[in-house]
Amino acid sequence: MCLAVPVRIVRRVGDLAEVDAGGVRKEVSLLLVPEAAVGDYVLLHAGYAIQLVDEAGARETLELMRQLVEAEEPDAD
Amino acid sequence: MDDTQALGRRLAAAVSRHDRRMQLMEVCGTHTVAIFRAGIRTLLPPGVRLLSGPGCPVCVTAAGEVERAMHLARAPGVLLAVFGDMLRVPGRRESLAEARAEGAGVRVVYSPRDALELARRHPKLRVVFWGVGFETTAPGVAAAVLEARATGVDNFLVYCAHKLVPPALEALLATGEVRVDGFILPGHVSTVLGTTPYAFLAERHGVPAVVAGFEPTDLLLALELLLRLVERGEAKVENAYPRAVRREGNPAARAVMDRVFRPVDARWRGLGEIPGSGLALREEFAAHDAARQFALPEFPDAEPRGCRCGEVLRGAVLPPECPLFDRRCTPVSPVGPCMVSSEGSCAAYHRYGRRAG
């Protein structure tokens, strides 16, 4: 039930946004993520955007993975 | 993408090389399913036992709360709006689905906003949304209450059974019933909460914890980080899901939640009453509070006979250890809620368990 999916904001009118959820258009509330703007990706949970999806965070994840496997395999190819 | 896949394979290899014996707990029911689906259980070294925790909202909803929701659904002029997973939870005599078949007013919704819309369309009915779920869900329900008040939708009410994750983890560790060497923390609860509310795990209990995302590589990353922390005896809280979880969480969402709700003691299936682990509507929203607007009787939290859901939720037993599992209790005819919810541990073991051990 704590499922949340990343969706892209296509249009914003007040606290409501039209989002693209994998090709399906949906109306979601931005009341919990007031700073979200058109073009942003937000996490959608039960009709509400609950957070901006952070691109820097995505890069950070990759970096973290790289560090871990490199620490694990010092002679890795 | 290829880069991520290659890294994922190397992470999987790293995870399977650990040789310490340990018990880890994934708190979140969505993680339980994601871990099975990604085949991650098959990668785990033999010494690592992965327990599922009290993070399936449907499962931890107390039996008495199910009965009170049923009572509301049967009240004249009431339409009870529920998340789909709640429909089939067995009550003392029947489920909401069965009550609906006998004429009780029950409607499945995807969002509290849908319930608000129902209330607008049916001004003569009182639409009661059954608020179930953790910190991920509660802010949206709070937002719907604010919207109902701002737009004068007086016939929208909430029966609040929301629960909070950190107090449940505290309660779980305090009993000492199950040894947990490390926690995989729920990604989307943490999206709202941030990482600070879990500091007590490391500071007071010496247990490391890692916030995880839901993709296979997210889970592998979190597991590898956690395995290392446990092996090194390093008690700290780390974040392996930074694209959705900031240290401070989502303060705007918490502000909306705090505006409408206040923490109260709450009863959990399997864990009993836990101080400060639930939410209730604040006094000023009494008009939208089903607990105040209806005389809701108390019902005992009696478990179905023979059902071990409670122990499963505490990590004390694994689903196959319940004598009813896959015999009298299956997803088609569930005895307890852990077999009903798609993210209940028993349903996950039923669906994936045979090939994943």
Side-chain angles (χ1 to χ4, degrees):
Chain A
M1 214 150 104
C2 281
L3 220 53
V5 291
V7 296
R8 193 171 52 87
I9 299 177
V10 179
R11 215 157 60 95
R12 174 168 187 164
V13 183
D15 287 328
L16 290 179
E18 185 182 324
V19 300
D20 177 357
V24 181
R25 294 291 167 105
K26 277 189 167 176
E27 186 192 80
V28 313
S29 166
L30 298 179
L31 218 71
L32 307 175
V33 192
E35 72 274 29
V38 170
D40 284 346
Y41 278 85
V42 289
L43 271 182
L44 169 62
H45 170 77
Y48 289 85
I50 59 166
Q51 185 60 291
L52 286 164
V53 180
D54 184 14
E55 222 185 300
R59 282 195 297 274
E60 207 179 306
T61 311
L62 272 179
E63 195 41 48
L64 209 59
M65 288 170 68
R66 228 172 253 129
Q67 278 171 18
L68 271 187
V69 294
E70 273 151 26
E72 173 75 14
E73 314 159 23
D75 303 321
D77 46 21
Chain B
M1 282 314 274
D2 281 349
D3 198 22
T4 317
Q5 279 175 13
L7 280 168
R9 274 197 295 277
R10 288 166 71 186
L11 268 178
V15 163
S16 58
R17 274 199 287 273
H18 292 267
D19 55 7
R20 259 275 299 274
R21 292 188 70 80
M22 60 179 95
Q23 285 203 125
L24 308 179
M25 176 177 278
E26 92 270 359
V27 174
C28 166
T30 312
H31 274 154
T32 304
V33 174
I35 287 169
F36 266 120
R37 200 180 282 160
I40 286 173
R41 279 178 174 271
T42 60
L43 297 172
L44 290 176
V48 176
R49 191 170 140 102
L50 197 54
L51 306 171
S52 304
C56 155
V58 177
C59 311
V60 298
T61 300
E65 290 173 326
V66 176
E67 291 308 316
R68 279 194 288 283
M70 202 90 75
H71 181 86
L72 281 168
R74 290 200 194 100
V78 168
L79 190 55
L80 184 74
V82 300
F83 287 130
D85 268 5
M86 301 311 293
L87 209 56
R88 294 178 59 236
V89 174
R92 246 186 339 171
R93 282 195 308 273
E94 58 184 1
S95 66
L96 272 178
E98 288 158 336
R100 181 174 64 176
E102 290 160 10
V106 182
R107 193 72 69 87
V108 170
V109 293
Y110 153 77
S111 159
R113 299 184 58 231
D114 300 340
L116 190 56
E117 192 47 41
L118 274 176
R120 287 194 180 106
R121 282 211 311 269
H122 300 281
K124 291 200 176 111
L125 291 175
R126 284 198 282 180
V127 174
V128 179
F129 177 74
W130 187 6
V132 169
F134 300 118
E135 290 90 337
T136 320
T137 315
V141 177
V145 171
L146 290 179
E147 194 181 336
R149 188 156 81 166
T151 54
V153 189
D154 300 334
N155 63 328
F156 173 80
L157 294 90
V158 170
Y159 168 46
C160 186
H162 288 295
K163 306 222 169 1
L164 305 174
V165 168
L169 299 185
E170 171 74 65
L172 199 70
L173 289 174
T175 68
E177 180 187 25
V178 176
R179 200 192 78 229
V180 179
D181 299 305
F183 283 105
I184 297 170
L185 294 174
H188 293 141
V189 165
S190 307
T191 293
V192 171
L193 283 185
T195 51
T196 318
Y198 304 111
F200 74 94
L201 293 173
E203 285 164 11
R204 285 213 301 277
H205 298 280
V207 180
V210 178
V211 175
F214 298 87
E215 297 298 323
T217 44
D218 290 328
L219 290 161
L220 287 169
L221 175 64
L223 261 172
E224 177 61 11
L225 277 170
L226 185 59
L227 287 161
R228 284 176 188 217
L229 289 175
V230 175
E231 274 180 356
R232 292 198 209 117
E234 229 177 305
K236 50 191 219 183
V237 178
E238 292 204 3
N239 179 10
Y241 192 28
R243 66 182 183 279
V245 176
R246 331 256 186 279
R247 176 197 291 271
E248 71 282 7
N250 180 346
R254 284 202 308 280
V256 169
M257 186 164 76
D258 293 345
R259 171 94 183 78
V260 173
F261 297 123
R262 65 189 170 88
V264 291
D265 300 347
R267 298 205 303 252
W268 296 53
R269 193 183 294 263
L271 284 87
E273 182 155 302
I274 305 174
S277 70
L279 294 173
L281 278 88
R282 291 186 185 278
E283 181 73 42
E284 62 169 301
F285 298 99
H288 297 284
D289 185 357
R292 284 192 176 89
Q293 298 303 324
F294 293 86
L296 288 182
E298 283 292 317
F299 292 95
D301 288 331
E303 300 301 326
R305 259 182 56 196
C307 173
R308 298 184 77 181
C309 264
E311 290 157 278
V312 168
L313 290 167
R314 298 197 299 272
V317 301
L318 293 176
E321 295 172 64
C322 174
L324 304 185
F325 177 79
D326 264 2
R327 294 183 183 90
R328 213 149 68 65
C329 183
T330 63
V332 175
S333 139
V335 175
C338 299
M339 190 60 97
V340 174
S341 172
S342 52
E343 59 188 31
S345 306
C346 297
Y349 270 82
H350 171 86
R351 182 150 181 212
Y352 304 102
R354 272 171 296 260
R355 63 184 170 86

